[in-house]
Amino acid sequence: MTHKAGFVNIIGNPNVGKSTLMNALVGEKLSIITSKAQTTRHRILGIVNRDDYQIVFSDTPGIIKPAYELQSSMMDFVKSALDDADILIYMVEVGEKELKNEGFFKKIISSEIPVILLLNKIDKSTQDEVEEKVNYWKEKVPNAYVYVISALEGFNIGSLSEKIVELLPEAPPYYPKDQLTDKPERFFVNEKIREKILIHYKKEIPYSVEVETEEFSEEEHIVRIRSVIMVERETQKGIIIGHKGSAIKRVGAEARKDLEKFFEKKVYIELYVKVNKNWRSDKTQLKRFGYNNK
């Protein structure tokens, strides 16, 4: 029996539903999902294994014009996803008319690999508007297979999955067949804590935060975690902690509940806050946090 395998990389503007899509395709919540733009900072792999194929999905940061070094590193992840894809998923939402980087768009329309263009969030649109947008994108990206979907509602995800399997090249698996992702446990701890910060804090706070898990020990019935929330200024530290520690306690409690589902055992979590000035513009710090992609 022949075996298929390949990298299926998802790109698009911020907040079009890339992370929701990958979680739906993989069947596990690997990527953060919030209503805020620039939620995804890393390139995250989600692996789907069957007897005769392996799909390595790749969620990437939304395409932006970088304003500081962290965002430049995020765009490097997108560039790498364009370079090593076997199938490229270009995701847009109803009402969108362009990609925020013309260079990336030129690569998409001149791609020699299969391109799937997904028009997402159609549950928020009329039938006439959807048909108009499908025709628009077929003209704009003539080399693409166009699908209308609702990643959140799961609409047309089955048909999309079948098309992906059809387009996969013949190849042996790239990862062990029992592997779900390329990221270690600590990465998902960091991301779960950061997700709660994105949900509960406003303005610049979530974008000034990085999380680092300093201690992670998994025992038979419990996982013990000690994580540090990095901020750029003293004033941000006070906001993260909140009155008498109420804000950080809420983050810890909600992260713990989700991590207990993820690890399927009890979780004990300690959170601390440290000031790490200008970490978003410091190449050495970014490399330490896993953002250096060169």
Side-chain angles (χ1 to χ4, degrees):
M1 183 170 65
T2 59
H3 188 278
K4 290 182 164 190
F7 285 82
V8 180
N9 301 343
I10 308 164
I11 67 166
N13 286 333
N15 215 24
V16 295
K18 297 182 297 298
S19 297
T20 305
L21 173 68
M22 191 180 84
N23 291 343
L25 288 165
V26 175
E28 292 280 349
K29 189 178 177 187
L30 297 179
S31 293
I32 290 179
I33 301 170
T34 78
S35 59
K36 293 179 180 173
Q38 298 176 48
T39 297
T40 302
R41 287 179 175 172
H42 293 264
R43 183 179 175 187
I44 303 167
L45 302 189
I47 305 166
V48 173
N49 291 294
R50 299 292 184 269
D51 289 342
D52 54 345
Y53 66 82
Q54 180 181 81
I55 309 172
V56 185
F57 289 106
S58 180
D59 185 17
T60 62
I63 294 170
I64 53 174
K65 291 179 180 176
Y68 42 84
E69 195 62 38
L70 169 62
Q71 292 182 339
S72 295
S73 296
M74 287 160 60
M75 290 308 94
D76 286 339
F77 289 127
V78 180
K79 288 173 189 172
S80 70
L82 281 166
D83 291 340
D84 67 16
D86 293 296
I87 300 169
L88 193 61
I89 292 180
Y90 172 31
M91 197 167 184
V92 300
E93 63 179 39
V94 175
E96 196 176 333
K97 289 198 169 181
E98 62 182 9
L99 198 59
K100 292 181 180 177
N101 184 306
E102 192 61 31
F104 287 159
F105 188 72
K106 285 177 181 175
K107 281 192 173 185
I108 292 167
I109 60 176
S110 62
S111 174
E112 294 181 1
I113 62 166
V115 175
I116 299 174
L117 188 143
L118 300 182
L119 182 60
N120 190 31
K121 304 185 183 180
I122 63 162
D123 48 305
K124 297 181 177 180
S125 186
T126 65
Q127 183 67 31
D128 288 344
E129 190 178 6
V130 170
E131 287 177 7
E132 179 191 332
K133 295 302 178 185
V134 166
N135 292 331
Y136 172 84
W137 285 110
K138 280 183 175 177
E139 190 174 320
K140 189 92 170 170
V141 192
N143 59 320
Y145 300 93
V146 179
Y147 281 77
V148 295
I149 67 162
S150 170
L152 187 62
E153 302 294 334
F155 175 74
N156 227 10
I157 299 300
S159 298
L160 171 63
S161 297
E162 289 172 10
K163 189 63 179 178
I164 289 167
V165 173
E166 178 190 320
L167 294 172
L168 280 178
E170 287 189 13
Y174 292 97
Y175 293 90
K177 282 282 193 165
D178 59 351
Q179 191 166 335
L180 177 64
T181 182
D182 64 324
K183 299 294 185 188
E185 288 94 342
R186 288 179 189 230
F187 174 84
F188 292 103
V189 172
N190 298 344
E191 288 289 271
K192 186 53 62 180
I193 296 165
R194 195 167 66 83
E195 178 185 65
K196 301 311 175 188
I197 292 168
L198 277 157
I199 291 168
H200 291 301
Y201 297 85
K202 298 177 181 177
K203 297 181 180 177
E204 182 64 12
I205 293 292
Y207 303 103
S208 303
V209 162
E210 182 59 49
V211 181
E212 185 175 39
T213 295
E214 294 186 334
E215 294 178 16
F216 179 94
S217 65
E218 189 167 1
E219 301 167 17
E220 186 178 356
H221 299 294
I222 192 168
V223 179
R224 300 183 188 277
I225 296 164
R226 184 182 190 276
S227 300
V228 177
I229 299 168
M230 306 281 184
V231 295
E232 291 192 308
R233 298 192 300 275
E234 282 289 343
T235 52
Q236 294 169 343
K237 180 177 179 180
I239 293 168
I240 289 287
I241 293 170
H243 181 61
K244 294 184 178 179
S246 59
I248 195 171
K249 282 177 185 175
R250 178 171 63 177
V251 167
E254 291 187 9
R256 177 183 55 78
K257 284 181 185 177
D258 285 1
L259 289 167
E260 285 181 340
K261 290 178 186 174
F262 188 81
F263 292 114
E264 297 182 336
K265 58 178 70 175
K266 287 284 185 184
V267 168
Y268 173 75
I269 186 167
E270 291 181 88
L271 295 180
Y272 300 86
V273 186
K274 287 183 182 177
V275 178
N276 190 343
K277 290 183 179 178
N278 300 318
W279 69 265
R280 290 185 294 176
S281 300
D282 186 329
K283 289 185 179 181
T284 303
Q285 294 287 345
L286 290 169
K287 186 174 182 179
R288 172 183 153 199
F289 297 139
Y291 291 107
N292 191 314
N293 194 45
K294 292 173 180 159

